[in-house]
């Protein structure tokens, strides 16, 4: 019996897939089809798959050509599948010519002619129009965002608005996108809005964009008042618009795996979370001179609060801040201690004091440790009382990681709600509330008087 294997995502199952499976089956007597999991696709940068794994499997099954369907979960699995299932022929579409030649060591490799004029990408673009992104703000993060958006099919960065015309113009020229001198112009020429302006302008810009019926992705920290966050989410909900806070960590595969493992019971009940993020900035940087909204906690606090809110929930009994201030009264280092129903947590942020950036999650049976840059999670370890027992996990993190939040935002705009849990409205509101509490603190209060 000749055994054939082939692999694919098989999203929005189309004629090309049908033909490929038919020809693969005709190469032998028994056809095994590997269908990629969602997490595998995300890890390899395929961020906009529409159909669920079950739907894709079901469609492959319905083609009638597959004698067996397996799941493709990891890079390198193909070779072990070939060995495990005693495969004679590995078949794949001609778009992969040369890519799998190394497999000929294990079985025959056949590249089958691809059906012309159809692909999942094409169908996705037909069913979901390309969302033209208007960017508000033209700082460093906007540039990174723009480059990352190129890895997400279904969006295109169209133009930028910045009331500081010179900066906006330079940005537009550098990235070869439109430059808008007014927000009206931006709204007229784009479909969705990314807000990457200075923190204090987020509320006004997000509200304005929502009121112009635009879906919005807003950089963190979203806003500094609970009621502003609630209001913005309310406007979004009433207008059926998607509003996301862009904390990239929340959407990246490694961090999501970490949260899953932490919640799995492997380390028992979680009782302690210690999250530290420091990033030294120049004394004259915006972060250390912006009297109102500069400082370590406002700048970096969102990252550290994220795992705490994810694992302990948004309710806490007590929160206390301790800071070290610079001449201008901005915190160059802040420690926040939280007492939550389930345990204790510490946030440590520094723009003027360096410390070991680390995320530690302590449980009743073990602990998880993620070294810096844990906010771009690629690797973590689980330790136990028995020090010789260590479990290691790794996950990919592509580029600057912003592509994951862009992909999730886009999928949500296209009507796929399954990613919303990664950073919920309630979690964003809870973070805004903590920022507000921090700003109400004694020392900061003095600054406003
Ligand atoms: N395939 C094909 N003809 C097409 C499209 C796909 O023969 N017109 C083949 C691919 O070469 C691959 C298999 O079908 O062997 C599964 O491909 P998959 O990546 O799932 O489909 P695509 O349509 O290529 O998806 P995308 O546009 O997302 O890359």
């Amino acid at each position: 019996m000749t055994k054939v294997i082939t692999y694919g995502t098989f999203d929005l199952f189309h004629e090309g897939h049908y033909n490929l499976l038919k020809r693969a089956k005709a190469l032998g007597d028994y056809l095994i089809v590997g269908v990629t999991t969602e997490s595998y696709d995300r890890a390899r940068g395929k961020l906009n798959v529409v159909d669920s794994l079950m739907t894709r499997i079901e469609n492959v099954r319905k083609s009638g050509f597959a004698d067996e369907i397996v799941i493709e979960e990891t890079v390198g699995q193909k070779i072990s599948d070939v060995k495990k299932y005693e495969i004679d022929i590995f078949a794949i579409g001609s778009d992969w010519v040369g890519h799998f030649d190394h497999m000929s060591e294990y079985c025959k490799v056949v590249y089958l002619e691809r059906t012309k004029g159809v692909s999942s990408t094409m169908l996705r673009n037909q069913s979901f129009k390309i969302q033209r992104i208007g960017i508000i703000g033209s700082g460093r993060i906007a540039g990174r965002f723009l480059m990352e958006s190129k890895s997400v099919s279904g969006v295109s960065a169209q133009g930028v608005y910045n009331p500081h015309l010179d900066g906006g113009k330079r940005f537009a020229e550098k990235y070869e996108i439109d430059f808008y001198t007014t927000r009206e112009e931006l709204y007229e020429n784009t479909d969705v809005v990314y807000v990457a302006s200075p923190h204090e302008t987020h509320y006004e810009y997000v509200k304005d964009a929502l009121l112009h019926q635009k879906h919005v992705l807003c950089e963190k920290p979203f806003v500094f008042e609970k009621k502003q966050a609630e209001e913005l989410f309310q406007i979004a909900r009433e207008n059926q618009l998607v509003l996301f806070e862009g904390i990239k960590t929340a959407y990246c595969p490694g961090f999501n795996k970490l949260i899953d493992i932490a919640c799995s019971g492997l380390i028992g009940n979680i009782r302690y979370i210690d999250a530290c993020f420091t990033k030294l900035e120049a004394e004259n940087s915006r972060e250390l001179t912006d009297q109102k909204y500069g400082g370590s906690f406002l700048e970096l606090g969102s990252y550290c609060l994220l795992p705490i809110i994810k694992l302990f929930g948004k309710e806490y009994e007590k929160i206390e801040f301790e800071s070290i201030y610079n001449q201008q009264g901005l915190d160059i280092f802040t420690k926040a201690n939280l007492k939550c129903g389930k345990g204790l947590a510490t946030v440590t942020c520094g723009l003027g004091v360096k410390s070991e950036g680390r995320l530690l999650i302590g449980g009743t049976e073990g602990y998880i440790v993620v070294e810096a840059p844990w906010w771009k999670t690629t690797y973590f370890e689980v330790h136990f009382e028995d020090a010789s027992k260590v479990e290691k996990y790794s996950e990919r993190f592509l580029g600057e990681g912003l592509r994951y939040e862009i992909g999730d935002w886009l999928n949500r705009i296209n009507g796929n709600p399954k990613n919303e849990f990664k950073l919920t409205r309630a979690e964003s509101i809870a973070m805004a509330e903590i920022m507000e509490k921090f700003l109400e603190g004694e020392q900061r209060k003095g600054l406003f008087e």
Side-chain angles (χ1 to χ4, degrees):
M1 182 166 80
T2 304
K3 280 177 126 184
V4 184
I5 196 161
T6 190
Y7 295 87
T9 303
F10 303 103
D11 190 28
L12 303 174
F13 198 88
H14 55 69
E15 190 196 342
H17 295 143
Y18 183 89
N19 292 339
L20 187 284
L21 294 179
K22 186 176 179 183
R23 275 181 269 146
K25 170 75 179 180
L27 291 172
D29 310 300
Y30 191 84
L31 176 65
I32 301 181
V33 181
V35 182
T36 56
T37 62
E38 191 185 318
S39 58
Y40 176 52
D41 276 326
R42 282 181 72 76
R44 65 191 182 125
K46 206 164 179 169
L47 305 175
N48 49 359
V49 175
V50 174
D51 289 335
S52 69
L53 175 60
M54 292 314 284
T55 304
R56 292 181 285 118
I57 290 175
E58 186 54 18
N59 287 336
V60 168
R61 194 192 61 75
K62 275 201 261 171
S63 76
F65 298 119
D67 296 289
E68 193 173 338
I69 297 175
V70 298
I71 305 284
E72 186 182 20
E73 293 182 278
T74 51
V75 193
Q77 183 187 319
K78 291 186 178 77
I79 292 176
S80 57
D81 282 349
V82 164
K83 292 179 194 162
K84 184 157 110 192
Y85 300 109
E86 298 174 330
I87 297 298
D88 302 292
I89 301 173
F90 171 84
I92 196 95
S94 53
D95 43 331
W96 294 99
V97 165
H99 194 86
F100 291 104
D101 289 357
H102 61 281
M103 303 225 359
S104 56
E105 208 178 300
Y106 309 95
C107 63
K108 187 173 168 192
V109 176
V110 177
Y111 297 104
L112 294 166
E113 186 64 29
R114 209 176 138 90
T115 306
K116 297 208 170 41
V118 63
S119 74
S120 302
T121 305
M122 195 186 97
L123 294 178
R124 281 192 290 262
N125 290 345
Q126 276 170 4
S127 14
F128 305 104
K129 70 173 180 123
I130 300 277
Q131 299 286 348
R132 295 166 304 163
I133 307 176
I135 302 175
I136 298 183
S138 55
R140 263 175 304 164
I141 186 73
R144 271 186 243 148
F145 175 92
L146 191 142
M147 295 313 289
E148 286 278 304
S149 72
K150 293 182 194 289
S151 337
V152 182
S153 72
V155 293
S156 99
Q158 186 70 27
V160 66
Y161 162 78
N162 189 335
H164 304 295
L165 303 183
D166 283 353
K169 219 171 172 176
R170 250 183 281 123
F171 185 90
E173 278 163 13
K174 178 173 176 190
Y175 294 104
E176 299 177 335
I177 57 171
D178 300 343
F179 173 55
Y180 309 121
T181 50
T182 63
R183 294 211 297 280
E184 284 304 328
E185 208 185 328
L186 176 133
Y187 300 140
E188 271 164 31
N189 292 288
T190 59
D191 307 301
V192 297
V193 172
Y194 169 59
V195 176
S197 51
H199 306 336
E200 68 272 21
T201 59
H202 286 178
Y203 170 72
E204 182 200 337
Y205 287 154
V206 171
K207 187 169 174 178
D208 193 49
L210 291 171
L211 292 174
H212 282 83
Q213 302 304 309
K214 302 292 176 190
H215 301 289
V216 178
L217 173 59
C218 178
E219 257 312 311
K220 55 92 200 134
F222 179 39
V223 286
F224 298 123
E225 278 181 41
K226 182 185 181 190
K227 77 170 185 337
Q228 289 183 344
E230 284 173 338
E231 182 195 346
L232 294 176
F233 280 113
Q234 184 61 25
I235 298 174
R237 196 194 293 259
E238 281 166 8
N239 290 278
Q240 293 175 345
L241 294 166
V242 181
L243 170 59
F244 266 33
E245 178 178 6
I247 303 180
K248 65 173 183 285
T249 313
Y251 304 93
C252 82
F255 183 76
N256 280 285
K257 186 184 249 185
L258 166 79
I259 296 295
D260 288 348
I261 300 281
C263 293
S264 71
L266 187 63
I267 58 166
N269 296 320
I270 301 165
R271 292 283 181 243
Y272 177 55
I273 303 170
D274 184 10
C276 175
F277 189 163
T278 66
K279 180 170 178 261
L280 293 182
E281 291 287 354
E283 273 175 39
N284 60 356
S285 62
R286 186 213 34 97
E287 290 85 346
L288 284 176
T289 51
D290 177 348
Q291 286 282 307
K292 239 180 165 178
Y293 296 111
S296 307
F297 190 72
L298 298 188
E299 193 59 34
L300 303 172
S302 315
Y303 287 115
C304 298
L305 290 170
L306 179 70
I308 297 171
I309 290 178
K310 285 259 130 218
L311 295 169
F312 279 163
K314 51 197 188 335
E315 305 298 333
Y316 52 90
E317 289 165 25
K318 201 162 88 178
I319 183 163
E320 281 170 350
F321 301 97
E322 288 293 346
S323 300
I324 300 171
Y325 296 91
N326 66 8
Q327 299 274 315
Q328 285 105 314
L330 285 166
D331 62 311
I332 57 165
F333 183 80
T334 287
K335 229 175 181 5
N337 287 312
L338 288 96
K339 188 174 173 207
C340 305
K342 293 180 184 167
L344 303 176
T346 311
V347 168
T348 309
C349 302
L351 292 174
V353 175
K354 192 70 192 162
S355 186
E356 189 188 1
R358 197 181 57 161
L359 171 62
L360 197 138
I361 302 166
T364 50
E365 287 167 38
Y367 68 90
I368 301 176
V369 64
V370 203
E371 303 298 344
W374 61 263
W375 46 94
K376 298 181 182 178
T377 324
T378 52
Y379 174 79
F380 58 93
E381 291 183 355
V382 186
H383 293 251
F384 302 90
E385 185 59 33
D386 173 0
S388 65
K389 190 178 155 198
V390 181
E391 290 187 13
K392 299 172 182 183
Y393 295 86
S394 60
E395 194 59 78
R396 292 181 78 189
F397 181 89
L398 298 173
E400 297 279 349
L402 293 163
R403 62 192 65 186
Y404 301 111
E405 68 184 36
I406 303 171
D408 280 346
W409 181 48
L410 177 69
N411 283 338
R412 181 73 183 84
I413 290 168
N414 287 339
N416 185 348
K418 67 179 186 253
N419 290 319
E420 219 171 8
F421 72 95
K422 290 180 186 166
L423 185 59
T424 65
R425 295 180 184 126
E427 287 165 348
S428 274
I429 292 170
M431 281 194 216
E433 189 185 13
I434 294 176
M435 296 286 167
E436 184 176 352
K437 283 225 163 78
F438 177 75
L439 284 171
E440 282 167 7
E442 280 308 296
Q443 312 259 11
R444 304 283 306 200
K445 220 173 186 172
L447 282 176
F448 296 100
E449 282 160 6

